Amino acid sequence: MSRAEMDVLGWDQCDVILVTGDAYIDHPSFGMALVGRLLEAQGFRVGIIAQPDWHSADAFRTLGKPRLYYGVTAGNMDSMVNRYTADRKPRSDDAYTPNGEPNKRPDRAVSVYAQRCREAFPGTPVVIGSIEASLRRIAHYDYWSDKVRRSVLFESKADMLIFGNAERALVDLTRRMADGESIKTIRDLRGTSFLVPAGWMPSEEWGVHNSTRVDMPGKIDQHIDPYLMVDKSSPTTCATGNKPADDVNPAMVEPTKAALMAEPAPAPAEVYKPIRIMSREERRAMELEKHHKTVVRLPSFETVSADPVMYAHASRVFHLESNPGNARALVQGHGDRDVWMNPPPLPLQMDEMDNVYDMNYARAPHPSYGGANIPAWEMIRFSVNIMRGCFGGCTFCSITEHEGRIIQSRSEPSILREIEHIRDKTKGFTGIISDLGGPTANMYRLACKDKEIETTCRRLSCVYPSICVNLGTNHNPLIKLYRKARAIPGVKKILIQSGLRYDLAVRSPEYVKELVTHHVGGLLKIAPEHTEPDVLSKMMKPGIGAYDEFKAMFEKYSLEAGKKQYLIPYFIAAHPGTTDEDMLNLALWLKKNNFRLDQVQTFMPTPMAMASAMYHSRKNPLKKVTDDSEVVETPRSLKQRQSHKAFLRYYDPKNWPILRETLRRMGRGDLIGTGERHLIPPYVVGEENFKSSQGKRAMPMLAPGADKRGGKLAPPAGAGRGKANALTGSLTARASLDTKPRASILDTIKIKKPAAMAPVKAKAARPSRSGK
């Protein structure tokens, strides 16, 4: 990190210099440490510039000129998510900075850092990556500026973008550049994106499909009959009924809206001739050769920025081409240049994952920070990442777009070794491992039962609308891992604090029993997200019945274990597809079940997520997109978003004014009162005669139609106290902050049930390996 350290090592120059928006912590939960150690293991000299002053290029010259390239990242989180709340307000702290100090990174840090690197040493190649670059590789809706922005490759002027799990592409790129190959000629690495002249193709063998040809799953690349072949003399149509245009260069043609809206015409009867029997291997080889040399052209930046319907269509096609087993290259025009995206990287095998996590990490912040407190480090220092990826496909989540749907798991011995390293090397270890998890705690080693099906599948989720029959749901390897982990000498307890996919967990009662009996520290978080079917369908989440089923198991096994334990449900306010009535129904459900959520989450549209496409376009990209297709009701105004959030904390006196206004506007003034059936009382906080738990005075406000001579109304017992009654089973539940990424292994805050179940206080934003 400094010239002095380079002198001690005897280096006159770094091969690669990595620039990051996070403090440098040498731990595999932090991207820069993982990438740095990976390149070091390949024999390269790596420098790291952490949280540089971006106001000039001076800080980017600290380590001199890199021999090969600058590698630039915003850090573990998107810089805009890191710096702003869902209401676009600046955050007051930064969990990835010493002492949580804010404003240590710029907005859109990848672009700013990349430009400063070019200023520092003109002509030096710049490679961008991590969650921020990965989610901005095509034209994308930007919530903070409320417009569609160009690919980050244009704003950063980077030579290459590496997206997704970058280990293979990074090592291959670095080796080839070290051998003298120019980055401008390296165009064949999976998981990479770059700018090319409009119409550029890797070779003459490549062909182009317009995105309208892959708009509907199930009509893509139909299988060839091994016994029959189409008579080329007969007229044919493609899968969508569009005639091929032989006289037009397809590389230069983007899909038109008219083509998108056109209903497929019935295909004429095709005349077949028996030729010969093709073996399955021959047929597969022929299909793969053609498939892998086809690029799908998305609507251009100019088109999607002007037409929300085409934006939703592009989002749909992008997600359909995300399975690394069958995804094709994508290309999108931006003026006179194209953004070319090679297929996603292939998942790491188990031994490769082990190699990544078994490297010699110091498992501590860099010594230059002294005794400074780095909140993100404090949260994950005693946790272990056991897997990557998520096949849930939740539309509001960025994990799938970044890490993929195929689960990549570490081996049991590798995980147990890391636990032993924590025990032996990490200062302050008290015998408690705060988490064994990942994006989802219980997807460890779950996979499709058939590898061939996995490589050809185009489903957006393996668990929605129901769990796929081809998905293996055996939790036995995870149960076995838990038992071995807690048997390690010196380990007193193993907690599971990553988010749990409860609709999978109920398939294995033995797993639920193991989890509840040994690995819950009083509170367990799960994410129903909502109660209303229409909203859940836009999220691609299971119905609330799955939550009820898991809750029954949880309570049963807690009782058998002789423990008082509680579920912490997560809910999202103002998600696309949510109406005022939906939020009211959720609030009534929370009241009925005695939940008082202390911290809640408001939907934040992140680049490339399908829910963000719904928010921007008001269309549903989960289905075929047309002008007259389903319109998605989307809370957009700040006032409506705040009222939806207020419904989740209906008991808080601060929210009563906006809820009264909303309920009256909805014609539901009958829910304002002092009875059990009422949602909020008719009190005005800040005036006379009613004292809330916050110490403010309030006086009764007569409900519409009330007798003005009736005198003062008495407040209901416990109104506004914000506490739960343990004897009646009420629960103050802690849901995720809008500053926090959901379901992250890095959320390792030790949550203890406070006395009398008082509301858990808000803590710093949890970091996330996925950057979500």
Side-chain angles (χ1 to χ4, degrees):
M1 285 186 67
S2 68
R3 275 288 191 178
E5 291 175 339
M6 290 175 64
D7 292 340
V8 171
L9 294 169
W11 296 358
D12 58 350
Q13 187 180 29
C14 293
D15 295 315
V16 177
I17 294 179
L18 305 175
V19 181
T20 175
D22 294 340
Y24 175 40
I25 300 173
D26 194 27
H27 185 284
S29 297
F30 296 85
M32 279 301 91
L34 189 150
V35 168
R37 292 297 185 186
L38 179 68
L39 293 176
E40 178 192 48
Q42 300 294 318
F44 297 105
R45 296 167 295 180
V46 182
I48 293 181
I49 301 177
Q51 297 189 315
D53 179 359
W54 67 91
H55 294 96
S56 75
D58 294 342
F60 297 79
R61 299 188 182 101
T62 302
L63 303 179
K65 180 179 180 180
R67 185 172 67 92
L68 299 178
Y69 61 85
Y70 276 108
V72 174
T73 166
N76 270 24
M77 288 180 68
D78 183 286
S79 62
M80 300 302 288
V81 176
N82 179 281
R83 298 197 69 211
Y84 297 96
T85 70
D87 292 334
R88 299 189 179 100
K89 296 178 180 179
R91 299 191 192 276
S92 59
D93 57 10
D94 182 345
Y96 293 88
T97 302
N99 298 320
E101 188 176 349
N103 303 319
K104 286 295 184 180
R105 74 187 79 210
D107 290 355
R108 301 180 178 87
V110 164
S111 297
V112 175
Y113 289 161
Q115 291 172 16
R116 288 291 184 254
C117 289
R118 288 198 174 280
E119 291 176 27
F121 295 104
T124 301
V126 175
V127 179
I128 59 176
S130 79
I131 186 75
E132 179 167 313
S134 189
L135 297 186
R136 287 169 164 78
R137 58 189 184 266
I138 62 173
H140 56 279
Y141 172 70
D142 183 82
Y143 171 65
W144 299 272
S145 59
D146 194 24
K147 67 179 184 180
V148 176
R149 298 178 74 98
R150 297 186 301 172
S151 165
V152 70
L153 281 164
F154 282 89
E155 294 187 353
S156 66
K157 297 180 174 60
D159 296 279
M160 182 175 288
L161 185 157
I162 300 181
F163 59 86
N165 299 300
E167 286 89 351
R168 284 202 187 95
L170 193 66
V171 170
D172 200 352
L173 172 69
T174 311
R175 283 182 170 177
R176 289 168 67 172
M177 291 183 68
D179 290 339
E181 195 169 347
S182 170
I183 193 170
K184 299 294 186 183
T185 64
I186 300 175
R187 295 291 183 255
D188 57 346
L189 296 179
R190 295 183 70 107
T192 61
S193 183
F194 38 84
L195 297 178
V196 293
W200 177 89
M201 302 288 277
S203 70
E204 294 180 355
E205 298 175 336
W206 279 70
V208 178
H209 281 177
N210 281 334
S211 62
T212 50
R213 296 190 63 183
V214 293
D215 187 49
M216 290 292 289
K219 293 186 178 181
I220 304 166
D221 294 346
Q222 295 180 355
H223 291 292
I224 298 173
D225 189 324
Y227 297 95
L228 304 171
M229 182 168 286
V230 179
D231 185 346
K232 293 184 178 180
S233 64
S234 64
T236 60
T237 60
C238 68
T240 59
N242 298 321
K243 294 182 179 180
D246 296 330
D247 58 339
V248 178
N249 179 7
M252 300 299 294
V253 180
E254 73 169 72
T256 63
K257 190 169 183 177
L260 171 63
M261 304 308 165
E263 290 296 327
E270 295 176 330
V271 180
Y272 293 96
K273 284 184 180 179
I275 300 245
R276 67 179 180 87
I277 297 176
M278 296 173 61
S279 70
R280 181 174 181 176
E281 290 75 17
E282 288 177 314
R283 176 168 58 88
R284 182 66 176 159
M286 181 178 68
E287 290 175 346
L288 287 177
E289 183 179 7
K290 180 181 178 181
H291 184 88
H292 293 320
K293 291 186 178 180
T294 300
V295 62
V296 176
R297 179 168 286 278
L298 299 174
S300 69
F301 161 73
E302 290 77 13
T303 298
V304 299
S305 60
D307 190 338
V309 174
M310 292 299 279
Y311 182 92
H313 160 71
S315 174
R316 174 174 171 78
V317 173
F318 175 89
H319 285 84
L320 289 173
E321 295 290 336
S322 61
N323 182 346
N326 60 31
R328 289 167 285 196
L330 299 173
V331 65
Q332 184 178 50
H334 287 62
D336 60 353
R337 285 189 289 177
D338 284 343
V339 174
W340 183 282
M341 290 155 281
N342 283 323
L346 295 172
L348 297 181
Q349 299 300 312
M350 184 173 285
D351 60 336
E352 294 174 313
M353 282 281 286
D354 289 352
N355 291 337
V356 168
Y357 286 90
D358 285 347
M359 292 185 293
N360 189 29
Y361 300 97
R363 306 191 67 85
H366 191 271
S368 63
Y369 299 120
N373 173 61
I374 303 176
W377 160 243
E378 297 300 329
M379 294 173 191
I380 58 84
R381 64 193 303 184
F382 304 125
S383 69
V384 179
N385 190 7
I386 64 175
M387 46 77 70
R388 287 183 188 170
C390 180
F391 49 67
C394 300
T395 60
F396 51 81
C397 179
S398 300
I399 294 173
T400 298
E401 283 88 348
H402 186 56
E403 294 188 1
R405 292 183 177 84
I406 298 176
I407 302 302
Q408 302 160 77
S409 301
R410 297 169 61 185
S411 71
E412 211 176 67
S414 174
I415 296 168
L416 299 179
R417 281 195 300 272
E418 184 169 351
I419 295 174
E420 292 173 346
H421 290 163
I422 293 174
R423 177 196 63 191
D424 299 336
K425 297 181 179 181
T426 306
K427 293 180 180 180
F429 181 64
T430 61
I432 299 176
I433 296 295
S434 57
D435 193 21
L436 285 185
T440 304
N442 60 320
M443 287 188 182
Y444 177 70
R445 299 189 71 171
L446 299 189
C448 189
K449 298 174 183 177
D450 187 312
K451 197 66 178 177
E452 185 172 350
I453 292 176
E454 180 182 78
T455 58
T456 58
C457 180
R458 301 181 80 86
R459 280 185 61 160
L460 298 176
S461 170
C462 298
V463 290
Y464 183 85
S466 60
I467 297 176
C468 179
V469 295
N470 295 310
L471 178 66
T473 59
N474 182 9
H475 283 60
N476 288 340
L478 190 53
I479 295 171
K480 184 180 175 184
L481 173 64
Y482 287 175
R483 290 172 178 171
K484 288 187 176 181
R486 66 175 186 262
I488 293 175
V491 174
K492 299 176 183 177
K493 193 172 185 64
I494 304 281
L495 295 175
I496 305 301
Q497 296 201 63
S498 292
L500 190 77
R501 189 78 193 200
Y502 54 86
D503 51 343
L504 285 172
V506 296
R507 293 288 186 97
S508 176
E510 184 183 2
Y511 170 74
V512 178
K513 183 175 183 179
E514 187 80 14
L515 175 75
V516 170
T517 304
H518 300 287
H519 302 287
V520 177
L523 302 173
L524 178 70
K525 59 178 176 287
I526 57 175
E529 310 295 9
H530 218 284
T531 57
E532 303 308 290
D534 286 346
V535 182
L536 292 169
S537 71
K538 304 301 185 296
M539 298 176 172
M540 291 213 297
K541 292 285 290 187
I544 198 65
Y547 164 83
D548 295 332
E549 186 179 358
F550 179 80
K551 181 174 181 288
M553 280 190 182
F554 180 86
E555 292 174 345
K556 173 187 174 183
Y557 294 127
S558 292
L559 184 64
E560 289 181 3
K563 297 181 177 182
K564 290 184 178 180
Q565 301 183 140
Y566 304 89
L567 292 176
I568 306 174
Y570 285 74
F571 295 95
I572 296 180
H575 189 278
T578 308
T579 63
D580 294 343
E581 289 75 15
D582 291 329
M583 291 308 301
L584 171 59
N585 290 337
L586 174 53
L588 294 173
W589 184 90
L590 292 171
K591 184 176 187 294
K592 177 182 177 182
N593 288 275
N594 297 314
F595 280 120
R596 291 189 171 189
L597 310 180
D598 188 53
Q599 304 295 339
V600 298
Q601 175 174 287
T602 304
F603 170 72
M604 181 188 292
T606 53
M608 280 189 4
M610 297 196 82
S612 301
M614 295 180 197
Y615 178 91
H616 171 60
S617 68
R618 292 181 171 87
K619 292 293 182 179
N620 184 2
L622 299 176
K623 302 176 182 178
K624 183 176 177 65
V625 178
T626 64
D627 271 334
D628 57 356
S629 62
E630 178 187 7
V631 176
V632 179
E633 295 291 341
T634 304
R636 295 179 65 90
S637 71
L638 178 61
K639 187 172 183 179
Q640 187 180 19
R641 286 167 64 83
Q642 289 175 339
S643 69
H644 281 205
K645 185 177 181 179
F647 271 119
L648 293 179
R649 302 188 76 241
Y650 64 91
Y651 64 89
D652 188 343
K654 295 178 181 178
N655 292 325
W656 293 347
I658 191 172
L659 288 179
R660 286 194 202 97
E661 180 183 348
T662 303
L663 288 172
R664 286 174 179 147
R665 177 173 50 78
M666 296 170 62
R668 296 306 308 270
D670 59 300
L671 294 174
I672 304 172
T674 59
E676 283 295 318
R677 68 183 182 86
H678 297 118
L679 184 65
I680 57 173
Y683 301 107
V684 178
V685 176
E687 298 188 14
E688 300 297 328
N689 214 27
F690 172 61
K691 192 170 184 179
S692 73
S693 62
Q694 282 74 22
K696 297 181 179 179
R697 308 220 25 113
M699 67 181 300
M701 179 178 65
L702 296 179
D707 187 352
K708 294 182 180 180
R709 298 169 297 175
K712 296 178 180 179
L713 299 175
R721 293 177 186 171
K723 294 186 180 181
N725 187 334
L727 296 178
T728 61
S730 297
L731 171 64
T732 299
R734 179 174 173 272
S736 70
L737 281 163
D738 61 4
T739 64
K740 296 182 179 182
R742 285 184 50 261
S744 166
I745 181 177
L746 303 181
D747 172 21
T748 58
I749 299 174
K750 298 176 183 177
I751 303 176
K752 297 181 180 179
K753 185 178 71 173
M757 290 305 297
V760 181
K761 293 181 180 180
K763 299 199 177 183
R766 291 172 296 176
S768 168
R769 280 189 188 83
S770 67
K772 182 183 171 188

